Amino acid sequence: MTIINSNDRSSNIEYLAKNLTIAREACGKTVKECGLLLDIPTSRLKNYEAGKYIPSLPEIEALSFLYRIPILAFFQQDAVKNHLHTPGSVQIQRLVEIRQLIIGTRIHLAREKAKISMKQLSKTTSIPTSRIKRYEEGAKPIAMDDLQKIIDALNLNLDDFFDHESPLGNWQNTQSKNIAFEHLPEEIKDFIADPNNLRYLKVAHNLSEIGIDTFNNLSDSLTELTKTFQDPEKNFD
């Protein structure tokens, strides 16, 4: 793993100083808090961020862990920003409103498809009709317990209501993949992380998409072909 480019060391260190500041501020910690956690003077951490002093590798590793930023990102221009999740409050509020409207619309369509009236749904779920109406219009956030009651009453699946497309959903998908990766055996994680094994992963991915029947036919054909080469007297006509 090459961290510092020997041809441009000054730029790498300059990026490090700026990125340390960006990462710390993004995680909402003060210089004093970080200094206490690492057991180093506040003045030293300030000098690291000012580019006056250069931190040791163990200190950079600790800061990487503390800020949840990969070490390599500290030494690359603008790379830290790719690992930050700090959208503005207006954006977050708008995303929540849109999601609320989408969920309400899905419930409305599912209820109509099932030919269940609001009054019937209210009776089944013990949720007031007026509240269900506001839920479907996206005018009121749906509490999780109410959402589960409605989903059960309409024979829907909660998993289908999770966001997979907006920035909120994309972030959740990434976290799910990270968790799944962490649960893999160590030798498998090492294999996947090695760039030299990318071609094997692509082959495995392609094989997974051809379907079991096609795979079995291919396997049978290869077996037959092997037998043919092993038998020189095999008639190729």
Side-chain angles (χ1 to χ4, degrees):
M1 178 172 64
T2 301
I3 293 180
I4 298 181
N5 185 343
S6 59
N7 297 323
D8 196 5
R9 294 178 184 273
S10 60
S11 294
N12 291 134
I13 299 304
E14 180 184 353
Y15 298 151
L16 172 62
K18 292 180 179 178
N19 286 329
L20 286 175
T21 305
I22 293 172
R24 177 183 58 76
E25 291 177 346
C27 73
K29 296 186 181 298
T30 65
V31 175
K32 184 177 181 180
E33 289 174 327
C34 295
L36 289 173
L37 287 169
L38 271 66
D39 193 25
I40 62 176
T42 300
S43 58
R44 189 197 303 177
L45 188 53
K46 286 183 178 179
N47 284 324
Y48 289 163
E49 293 186 0
K52 294 180 180 179
Y53 298 154
I54 300 173
S56 67
L57 180 57
E59 287 174 329
I60 296 173
E61 291 171 339
L63 289 169
S64 171
F65 179 77
L66 179 61
Y67 300 154
R68 292 293 190 267
I69 300 292
I71 286 182
L72 290 179
F74 284 131
F75 295 89
Q76 300 170 4
Q77 187 175 18
D78 298 326
V80 165
K81 295 178 181 178
N82 296 328
H83 299 275
L84 302 180
H85 304 282
T86 54
S89 60
V90 174
Q91 181 185 5
I92 286 289
Q93 292 166 13
R94 183 57 182 155
L95 287 172
V96 170
E97 290 173 359
I98 292 173
R99 286 285 299 137
Q100 190 171 293
L101 184 59
I102 291 173
I103 292 175
T105 301
R106 292 195 62 180
I107 289 173
H108 173 75
L109 293 174
R111 181 178 59 77
E112 288 197 334
K113 183 178 181 180
K115 297 181 179 180
I116 297 175
S117 68
M118 280 191 190
K119 187 175 181 179
Q120 290 173 312
L121 184 59
S122 175
K123 184 177 180 179
T124 303
T125 60
S126 298
I127 301 173
T129 303
S130 58
R131 192 190 305 171
I132 292 176
K133 184 175 186 299
R134 296 190 67 196
Y135 282 164
E136 292 189 359
E137 293 172 346
K140 180 179 177 62
I142 307 176
M144 274 300 299
D145 57 341
D146 278 358
L147 178 61
Q148 188 64 66
K149 291 176 184 177
I150 294 172
I151 286 175
D152 291 342
L154 297 176
N155 293 318
L156 302 175
N157 191 328
L158 179 60
D159 290 341
D160 295 334
F161 282 79
F162 282 102
D163 180 14
H164 297 288
E165 298 178 357
S166 79
L168 299 177
N170 290 335
W171 186 83
Q172 291 293 346
N173 289 338
T174 299
Q175 302 314 303
S176 297
K177 291 175 183 177
N178 290 339
I179 292 173
F181 181 81
E182 286 303 317
H183 282 81
L184 293 174
E186 287 300 320
E187 63 270 19
I188 299 298
K189 288 193 284 189
D190 291 340
F191 182 86
I192 294 174
D194 187 345
N196 294 321
N197 293 328
L198 180 59
R199 54 184 173 177
Y200 302 116
L201 294 174
K202 287 182 177 179
V203 170
H205 178 264
N206 291 336
L207 288 175
S208 70
E209 292 189 331
I210 64 175
I212 188 64
D213 292 335
T214 303
F215 181 81
N216 287 335
N217 290 335
L218 178 61
S219 177
D220 292 341
S221 297
L222 289 174
T223 300
E224 186 63 29
L225 183 60
T226 301
K227 291 179 180 179
T228 299
F229 282 119
Q230 290 174 345
D231 184 1
E233 297 181 0
K234 182 78 173 180
N235 186 356
F236 287 93
D237 294 335

